[in-house]
PDB file of all heavy atoms in Angstrom:
ATOM      1  N   LEU Y  48     -15.883  -9.171  16.321  1.00  0.00           N
ATOM      2  CA  LEU Y  48     -16.429  -8.139  15.440  1.00  0.00           C
ATOM      3  C   LEU Y  48     -17.927  -8.307  15.210  1.00  0.00           C
ATOM      4  O   LEU Y  48     -18.494  -7.665  14.313  1.00  0.00           O
ATOM      5  CB  LEU Y  48     -15.697  -8.165  14.093  1.00  0.00           C
ATOM      6  CG  LEU Y  48     -14.166  -8.259  14.141  1.00  0.00           C
ATOM      7  CD1 LEU Y  48     -13.603  -8.201  12.748  1.00  0.00           C
ATOM      8  CD2 LEU Y  48     -13.572  -7.168  15.018  1.00  0.00           C
ATOM      9  N   ALA Y  49     -18.568  -9.132  16.004  1.00  0.00           N
ATOM     10  CA  ALA Y  49     -19.993  -9.417  15.807  1.00  0.00           C
ATOM     11  C   ALA Y  49     -20.813  -8.133  15.847  1.00  0.00           C
ATOM     12  O   ALA Y  49     -20.668  -7.305  16.749  1.00  0.00           O
ATOM     13  CB  ALA Y  49     -20.485 -10.389  16.872  1.00  0.00           C
ATOM     14  N   GLY Y  50     -21.656  -7.976  14.840  1.00  0.00           N
ATOM     15  CA  GLY Y  50     -22.542  -6.822  14.778  1.00  0.00           C
ATOM     16  C   GLY Y  50     -21.936  -5.579  14.168  1.00  0.00           C
ATOM     17  O   GLY Y  50     -22.629  -4.577  13.977  1.00  0.00           O
ATOM     18  N   GLU Y  51     -20.630  -5.619  13.823  1.00  0.00           N
ATOM     19  CA  GLU Y  51     -19.971  -4.449  13.245  1.00  0.00           C
ATOM     20  C   GLU Y  51     -20.104  -4.450  11.726  1.00  0.00           C
ATOM     21  O   GLU Y  51     -20.257  -5.497  11.092  1.00  0.00           O
ATOM     22  CB  GLU Y  51     -18.491  -4.421  13.628  1.00  0.00           C
ATOM     23  CG  GLU Y  51     -18.233  -4.449  15.128  1.00  0.00           C
ATOM     24  CD  GLU Y  51     -18.838  -3.263  15.852  1.00  0.00           C
ATOM     25  OE1 GLU Y  51     -18.897  -2.163  15.273  1.00  0.00           O
ATOM     26  OE2 GLU Y  51     -19.264  -3.439  17.013  1.00  0.00           O
ATOM     27  N   ARG Y  52     -20.046  -3.255  11.169  1.00  0.00           N
ATOM     28  CA  ARG Y  52     -20.037  -3.075   9.715  1.00  0.00           C
ATOM     29  C   ARG Y  52     -18.722  -2.397   9.333  1.00  0.00           C
ATOM     30  O   ARG Y  52     -18.450  -1.272   9.766  1.00  0.00           O
ATOM     31  CB  ARG Y  52     -21.239  -2.238   9.266  1.00  0.00           C
ATOM     32  CG  ARG Y  52     -22.577  -2.888   9.574  1.00  0.00           C
ATOM     33  CD  ARG Y  52     -23.746  -2.040   9.095  1.00  0.00           C
ATOM     34  NE  ARG Y  52     -23.752  -0.701   9.707  1.00  0.00           N
ATOM     35  CZ  ARG Y  52     -24.240  -0.439  10.932  1.00  0.00           C
ATOM     36  NH1 ARG Y  52     -24.741  -1.415  11.671  1.00  0.00           N
ATOM     37  NH2 ARG Y  52     -24.214   0.798  11.405  1.00  0.00           N
ATOM     38  N   ILE Y  53     -17.929  -3.101   8.530  1.00  0.00           N
ATOM     39  CA  ILE Y  53     -16.593  -2.605   8.174  1.00  0.00           C
ATOM     40  C   ILE Y  53     -16.574  -2.185   6.710  1.00  0.00           C
ATOM     41  O   ILE Y  53     -16.935  -2.967   5.825  1.00  0.00           O
ATOM     42  CB  ILE Y  53     -15.520  -3.676   8.439  1.00  0.00           C
ATOM     43  CG1 ILE Y  53     -15.530  -4.069   9.921  1.00  0.00           C
ATOM     44  CG2 ILE Y  53     -14.142  -3.170   8.025  1.00  0.00           C
ATOM     45  CD1 ILE Y  53     -14.532  -5.144  10.283  1.00  0.00           C
ATOM     46  N   ALA Y  54     -16.166  -0.943   6.468  1.00  0.00           N
ATOM     47  CA  ALA Y  54     -15.984  -0.427   5.109  1.00  0.00           C
ATOM     48  C   ALA Y  54     -14.498  -0.419   4.792  1.00  0.00           C
ATOM     49  O   ALA Y  54     -13.690   0.061   5.593  1.00  0.00           O
ATOM     50  CB  ALA Y  54     -16.561   0.981   4.994  1.00  0.00           C
ATOM     51  N   MET Y  55     -14.144  -0.946   3.618  1.00  0.00           N
ATOM     52  CA  MET Y  55     -12.733  -1.064   3.249  1.00  0.00           C
ATOM     53  C   MET Y  55     -12.509  -0.511   1.846  1.00  0.00           C
ATOM     54  O   MET Y  55     -13.289  -0.787   0.930  1.00  0.00           O
ATOM     55  CB  MET Y  55     -12.286  -2.527   3.291  1.00  0.00           C
ATOM     56  CG  MET Y  55     -12.540  -3.218   4.624  1.00  0.00           C
ATOM     57  SD  MET Y  55     -12.018  -4.964   4.648  1.00  0.00           S
ATOM     58  CE  MET Y  55     -10.232  -4.784   4.632  1.00  0.00           C
ATOM     59  N   ALA Y  56     -11.411   0.237   1.677  1.00  0.00           N
ATOM     60  CA  ALA Y  56     -10.920   0.635   0.353  1.00  0.00           C
ATOM     61  C   ALA Y  56      -9.470   0.201   0.290  1.00  0.00           C
ATOM     62  O   ALA Y  56      -8.595   0.840   0.885  1.00  0.00           O
ATOM     63  CB  ALA Y  56     -11.051   2.141   0.136  1.00  0.00           C
ATOM     64  N   MET Y  57      -9.208  -0.919  -0.400  1.00  0.00           N
ATOM     65  CA  MET Y  57      -7.899  -1.561  -0.390  1.00  0.00           C
ATOM     66  C   MET Y  57      -7.557  -2.036  -1.806  1.00  0.00           C
ATOM     67  O   MET Y  57      -8.393  -1.989  -2.708  1.00  0.00           O
ATOM     68  CB  MET Y  57      -7.920  -2.782   0.545  1.00  0.00           C
ATOM     69  CG  MET Y  57      -8.379  -2.503   1.971  1.00  0.00           C
ATOM     70  SD  MET Y  57      -7.130  -1.695   2.969  1.00  0.00           S
ATOM     71  CE  MET Y  57      -6.017  -3.061   3.304  1.00  0.00           C
ATOM     72  N   HIS Y  58      -6.320  -2.506  -1.972  1.00  0.00           N
ATOM     73  CA  HIS Y  58      -5.956  -3.190  -3.210  1.00  0.00           C
ATOM     74  C   HIS Y  58      -6.558  -4.590  -3.139  1.00  0.00           C
ATOM     75  O   HIS Y  58      -6.096  -5.438  -2.374  1.00  0.00           O
ATOM     76  CB  HIS Y  58      -4.438  -3.264  -3.366  1.00  0.00           C
ATOM     77  CG  HIS Y  58      -3.771  -1.923  -3.423  1.00  0.00           C
ATOM     78  ND1 HIS Y  58      -3.947  -1.069  -4.488  1.00  0.00           N
ATOM     79  CD2 HIS Y  58      -2.955  -1.286  -2.549  1.00  0.00           C
ATOM     80  CE1 HIS Y  58      -3.249   0.039  -4.273  1.00  0.00           C
ATOM     81  NE2 HIS Y  58      -2.641  -0.074  -3.104  1.00  0.00           N
ATOM     82  N   VAL Y  59      -7.588  -4.836  -3.916  1.00  0.00           N
ATOM     83  CA  VAL Y  59      -8.324  -6.095  -3.794  1.00  0.00           C
ATOM     84  C   VAL Y  59      -7.651  -7.163  -4.645  1.00  0.00           C
ATOM     85  O   VAL Y  59      -7.866  -7.262  -5.850  1.00  0.00           O
ATOM     86  CB  VAL Y  59      -9.806  -5.902  -4.173  1.00  0.00           C
ATOM     87  CG1 VAL Y  59     -10.561  -7.224  -4.086  1.00  0.00           C
ATOM     88  CG2 VAL Y  59     -10.454  -4.873  -3.240  1.00  0.00           C
ATOM     89  N   GLU Y  60      -6.800  -7.932  -3.999  1.00  0.00           N
ATOM     90  CA  GLU Y  60      -6.134  -9.072  -4.622  1.00  0.00           C
ATOM     91  C   GLU Y  60      -6.044 -10.172  -3.571  1.00  0.00           C
ATOM     92  O   GLU Y  60      -6.623 -10.034  -2.491  1.00  0.00           O
ATOM     93  CB  GLU Y  60      -4.773  -8.666  -5.220  1.00  0.00           C
ATOM     94  CG  GLU Y  60      -3.909  -7.803  -4.331  1.00  0.00           C
ATOM     95  CD  GLU Y  60      -3.187  -8.597  -3.283  1.00  0.00           C
ATOM     96  OE1 GLU Y  60      -2.456  -9.539  -3.643  1.00  0.00           O
ATOM     97  OE2 GLU Y  60      -3.353  -8.298  -2.090  1.00  0.00           O
ATOM     98  N   ALA Y  61      -5.353 -11.249  -3.878  1.00  0.00           N
ATOM     99  CA  ALA Y  61      -5.471 -12.466  -3.068  1.00  0.00           C
ATOM    100  C   ALA Y  61      -5.090 -12.271  -1.611  1.00  0.00           C
ATOM    101  O   ALA Y  61      -5.760 -12.784  -0.704  1.00  0.00           O
ATOM    102  CB  ALA Y  61      -4.632 -13.580  -3.693  1.00  0.00           C
ATOM    103  N   LYS Y  62      -4.026 -11.540  -1.349  1.00  0.00           N
ATOM    104  CA  LYS Y  62      -3.569 -11.384   0.037  1.00  0.00           C
ATOM    105  C   LYS Y  62      -4.539 -10.524   0.836  1.00  0.00           C
ATOM    106  O   LYS Y  62      -4.883 -10.842   1.982  1.00  0.00           O
ATOM    107  CB  LYS Y  62      -2.166 -10.783   0.035  1.00  0.00           C
ATOM    108  CG  LYS Y  62      -1.158 -11.638  -0.749  1.00  0.00           C
ATOM    109  CD  LYS Y  62       0.191 -10.996  -0.820  1.00  0.00           C
ATOM    110  CE  LYS Y  62       0.254  -9.754  -1.673  1.00  0.00           C
ATOM    111  NZ  LYS Y  62       0.085 -10.033  -3.121  1.00  0.00           N
ATOM    112  N   THR Y  63      -4.978  -9.422   0.218  1.00  0.00           N
ATOM    113  CA  THR Y  63      -5.962  -8.570   0.880  1.00  0.00           C
ATOM    114  C   THR Y  63      -7.231  -9.356   1.175  1.00  0.00           C
ATOM    115  O   THR Y  63      -7.887  -9.152   2.209  1.00  0.00           O
ATOM    116  CB  THR Y  63      -6.314  -7.364  -0.004  1.00  0.00           C
ATOM    117  OG1 THR Y  63      -5.118  -6.756  -0.483  1.00  0.00           O
ATOM    118  CG2 THR Y  63      -7.129  -6.348   0.756  1.00  0.00           C
ATOM    119  N   ALA Y  64      -7.589 -10.248   0.270  1.00  0.00           N
ATOM    120  CA  ALA Y  64      -8.816 -11.026   0.442  1.00  0.00           C
ATOM    121  C   ALA Y  64      -8.790 -11.853   1.717  1.00  0.00           C
ATOM    122  O   ALA Y  64      -9.835 -12.070   2.349  1.00  0.00           O
ATOM    123  CB  ALA Y  64      -9.029 -11.931  -0.769  1.00  0.00           C
ATOM    124  N   ILE Y  65      -7.613 -12.310   2.120  1.00  0.00           N
ATOM    125  CA  ILE Y  65      -7.513 -13.088   3.359  1.00  0.00           C
ATOM    126  C   ILE Y  65      -7.854 -12.208   4.564  1.00  0.00           C
ATOM    127  O   ILE Y  65      -8.532 -12.642   5.500  1.00  0.00           O
ATOM    128  CB  ILE Y  65      -6.113 -13.706   3.504  1.00  0.00           C
ATOM    129  CG1 ILE Y  65      -5.788 -14.588   2.283  1.00  0.00           C
ATOM    130  CG2 ILE Y  65      -5.999 -14.505   4.796  1.00  0.00           C
ATOM    131  CD1 ILE Y  65      -6.807 -15.674   1.998  1.00  0.00           C
ATOM    132  N   LEU Y  66      -7.407 -10.946   4.534  1.00  0.00           N
ATOM    133  CA  LEU Y  66      -7.785 -10.000   5.586  1.00  0.00           C
ATOM    134  C   LEU Y  66      -9.293  -9.765   5.584  1.00  0.00           C
ATOM    135  O   LEU Y  66      -9.944  -9.799   6.636  1.00  0.00           O
ATOM    136  CB  LEU Y  66      -7.051  -8.672   5.412  1.00  0.00           C
ATOM    137  CG  LEU Y  66      -7.525  -7.520   6.304  1.00  0.00           C
ATOM    138  CD1 LEU Y  66      -7.296  -7.836   7.779  1.00  0.00           C
ATOM    139  CD2 LEU Y  66      -6.845  -6.214   5.907  1.00  0.00           C
ATOM    140  N   VAL Y  67      -9.855  -9.525   4.401  1.00  0.00           N
ATOM    141  CA  VAL Y  67     -11.288  -9.248   4.297  1.00  0.00           C
ATOM    142  C   VAL Y  67     -12.093 -10.416   4.858  1.00  0.00           C
ATOM    143  O   VAL Y  67     -13.027 -10.230   5.659  1.00  0.00           O
ATOM    144  CB  VAL Y  67     -11.685  -8.965   2.835  1.00  0.00           C
ATOM    145  CG1 VAL Y  67     -13.184  -8.715   2.722  1.00  0.00           C
ATOM    146  CG2 VAL Y  67     -10.920  -7.757   2.288  1.00  0.00           C
TER     147      VAL Y  67
END
Side-chain angles (χ1 to χ4, degrees):
L48 314 183
E51 304 299 327
R52 298 181 301 278
I53 301 179
M55 305 179 71
M57 305 284 285
H58 299 292
V59 178
E60 45 80 56
K62 302 176 291 291
T63 312
I65 303 305
L66 170 63
V67 178

